[in-house]
Amino acid sequence: MASFPPRVNEKEIVRSRTIGELLAPAAPFDKKCGRENWTVAFAPDGSYFAWSQGHRTVKLVPWSQCLQNFLLHGTKNVTNSSSLRLPRQNSDGGQKNKPREHIIDCGDIVWSLAFGSSVPEKQSRCVNIEWHRFRFGQDQLLLATGLNNGRIKIWDVYTGKLLLNLVDHTEVVRDLTFAPDGSLILVSASRDKTLRVWDLKDDGNMMKVLRGHQNWVYSCAFSPDSSMLCSVGASKAVFLWNMDKYTMIRKLEGRHHDVVACDFSPDGALLATASYDTRVYIWDPHNGDILMEFGHLFPPPTPIFAGGANDRWVRSVSFSHDGLHVASLADDKMVRFWRIDEDYPVQVAPLSNGLCCAFSTDGSVLAAGTHDGSVYFWATPRQVPSLQHLCRMSIRRVMPTQEVQELPIPSKLLEFLSYRI
């Protein structure tokens, strides 16, 4: 396993280029509402960016417009604008789908956000109900917001209107994630120690409660094929769930402190988790092995002092869409970009009071939210993936580790396909 070395030649680490920033407006002090930006999110089609500004509000901005503003208004270090690949927008020309800026008042502190888009052929799992209040079409884009009071509000992104108010959690809804397959299955993670599965195509019917966590659940993430869910939480918890049967597959062992964030690689072969034990672990979710370790404190703290210094707690982790890079955000005022085959960061960037991070839909930009409700953006490492890696990702999208290991091919190739070399 790789860990962060004690000293790295500064010339070897490149400082990531700043793209721009979105600053939260000044607001009167309010004891009931914090300014923390606990979550940032990009729409699956790249059309929108959303963040929780604090003070109960969520802001939705058209992402291409946001990038253009950064480039036009002379944000420092903005060069070679052609390197930012703008995602394609909806092209039907309809006014309904024309991206517009919205500010949404959610009525309570916002802890989590998630975009969801519909695929018509994905029917509701509740087959006995013939009538539904909502018929979500292919052009529908939804935003789910998880609130301090345990409620989940579902909004129409194009109009900013409230569609559904889901009430079942009894504590803070700490994270939300939609199934990537367009089924509009939503999973929520809460401080009430449960995960709840909602079917928005069945008007937000709660389908299942996933129990197993003995303490707060901090984060959850779907695998790219929507078949598996990872949930992480306090007391070193990392759970994997079968989302066809809604049963627990296994608990991953090896963390030394609360686990606060998780994300799958784009081919589903790897799982990244971030913890207050100052490390990011890269797992093989199909057999529970730890393949890599990215340390943020050297030497790493022993298990009895698992948290080390509090200024090294890792707050967030995100997998890049190239399958080669992982971003981590820690309390030591640094954002780090790691390669999955290197034992030290390939790029770094300064960030004070960071809380969350996410890659843009095309992977060219990383967004990070902070305690003051603002968002900062950096260009991500640019590297052309090798043909071998592209083939590996294609194979791993359809074949789990167990099936790979049964292939009649040389052992070195098996190790490469299993991300062990």
Side-chain angles (χ1 to χ4, degrees):
M1 293 184 295
S3 59
F4 190 51
R7 287 185 178 86
V8 176
N9 189 335
E10 292 183 0
K11 293 182 180 180
E12 295 179 11
I13 299 182
V14 178
R15 177 159 292 196
S16 182
R17 177 167 57 86
T18 301
I19 298 298
E21 56 191 29
L22 296 172
L23 303 180
F29 178 73
D30 186 345
K31 290 183 179 179
K32 295 182 180 179
C33 299
R35 290 179 58 85
E36 293 88 357
N37 179 1
W38 289 108
T39 182
V40 294
F42 290 91
D45 63 355
S47 59
Y48 272 94
F49 173 73
W51 81 100
S52 55
Q53 277 191 314
H55 298 282
R56 304 185 298 265
T57 63
V58 170
K59 190 159 186 179
L60 280 159
V61 295
W63 177 234
S64 61
Q65 175 186 317
C66 193
L67 275 180
Q68 290 168 6
N69 288 341
F70 292 156
L71 299 173
L72 289 174
H73 295 295
T75 307
K76 63 179 181 178
N77 295 333
V78 173
T79 57
N80 189 21
S81 61
S82 63
S83 68
L84 297 176
R85 303 183 302 280
L86 297 182
R88 296 184 65 181
Q89 302 298 314
N90 294 321
S91 57
D92 62 4
Q95 185 67 26
K96 176 185 176 183
N97 290 349
K98 184 178 180 181
R100 291 188 301 156
E101 186 174 304
H102 295 291
I103 296 178
I104 298 174
D105 185 349
C106 295
D108 205 342
I109 297 174
V110 180
W111 285 83
S112 49
L113 296 173
F115 282 99
S117 57
S118 174
V119 174
E121 51 267 28
K122 287 285 185 179
Q123 300 297 320
S124 167
R125 294 196 181 186
C126 189
V127 295
N128 295 324
I129 295 182
E130 298 180 357
W131 180 88
H132 290 96
R133 179 183 173 193
F134 295 106
R135 298 283 182 182
F136 294 118
Q138 193 166 9
D139 60 350
Q140 193 82 32
L141 184 60
L142 306 179
L143 180 72
T145 56
L147 307 182
N148 192 69
N149 59 10
R151 296 192 175 194
I152 302 167
K153 292 186 177 182
I154 310 297
W155 310 83
D156 184 315
V157 170
Y158 300 122
T159 64
K161 292 182 179 179
L162 178 65
L163 299 178
L164 291 168
N165 191 0
L166 309 181
V167 183
D168 252 308
H169 283 296
T170 58
E171 293 285 347
V172 171
V173 179
R174 189 63 186 85
D175 198 18
L176 294 164
T177 182
F178 276 98
D181 61 5
S183 63
L184 289 184
I185 298 297
L186 174 70
V187 176
S188 54
S190 173
R191 285 185 180 175
D192 65 12
K193 307 176 187 177
T194 68
L195 297 127
R196 295 175 189 259
V197 185
W198 314 81
D199 185 353
L200 297 197
K201 289 194 174 182
D202 186 20
D203 295 338
N205 175 51
M206 192 190 73
M207 303 164 55
K208 196 72 177 178
V209 180
L210 304 181
R211 303 183 189 275
H213 286 266
Q214 301 301 309
N215 215 313
W216 291 0
V217 190
Y218 280 108
S219 182
C220 56
F222 268 102
S223 62
D225 65 359
S226 304
S227 67
M228 188 185 300
L229 181 86
C230 176
S231 63
V232 299
S235 305
K236 313 174 190 176
V238 183
F239 293 164
L240 291 173
W241 307 85
N242 180 318
M243 293 308 289
D244 293 323
K245 301 177 180 178
Y246 302 117
T247 56
M248 188 184 298
I249 300 172
R250 65 175 57 88
K251 181 178 180 179
L252 301 184
E253 304 284 353
R255 304 303 324 219
H256 305 295
H257 206 300
D258 294 353
V259 189
V260 294
C262 59
D263 197 19
F264 281 91
S265 63
D267 61 3
L270 301 174
L271 171 69
T273 61
S275 170
Y276 290 163
D277 66 13
T278 74
R279 304 166 177 93
V280 168
Y281 280 179
I282 307 296
W283 310 76
D284 184 330
H286 301 284
N287 59 25
D289 291 346
I290 298 173
L291 303 180
M292 286 156 265
E293 175 186 329
F294 299 140
H296 296 65
L297 178 65
F298 189 88
T302 57
I304 197 170
F305 298 111
N310 289 357
D311 63 356
R312 293 296 192 278
W313 284 4
V314 187
R315 294 281 179 177
S316 186
V317 67
S318 184
F319 241 111
S320 174
H321 301 272
D322 63 8
L324 287 172
H325 295 92
V326 176
S328 66
L329 189 156
D331 283 346
D332 61 356
K333 302 181 180 180
M334 295 292 288
V335 176
R336 293 173 173 85
F337 296 92
W338 310 80
R339 268 186 62 102
I340 60 171
D341 54 0
E342 300 282 357
D343 60 1
Y344 59 87
V346 293
Q347 287 189 20
V348 299
L351 178 69
S352 296
N353 300 317
L355 289 175
C356 58
C357 66
F359 281 97
S360 61
T361 306
D362 67 354
S364 64
V365 174
L366 182 80
T370 64
H371 273 279
D372 65 1
S374 299
V375 193
Y376 298 87
F377 301 88
W378 297 273
T380 59
R382 299 293 304 279
Q383 183 157 355
V384 178
S386 67
L387 180 59
Q388 290 96 327
H389 175 65
L390 293 175
C391 291
R392 171 170 60 184
M393 287 190 34
S394 297
I395 292 171
R396 293 311 308 270
R397 286 182 192 277
V398 297
M399 191 172 289
T401 301
Q402 293 90 333
E403 293 182 13
V404 166
Q405 291 173 342
E406 295 174 0
L407 294 174
I409 55 178
S411 59
K412 285 295 182 183
L413 189 52
L414 287 175
E415 289 178 10
F416 178 77
L417 293 176
S418 302
Y419 288 91
R420 295 178 182 273
I421 56 172

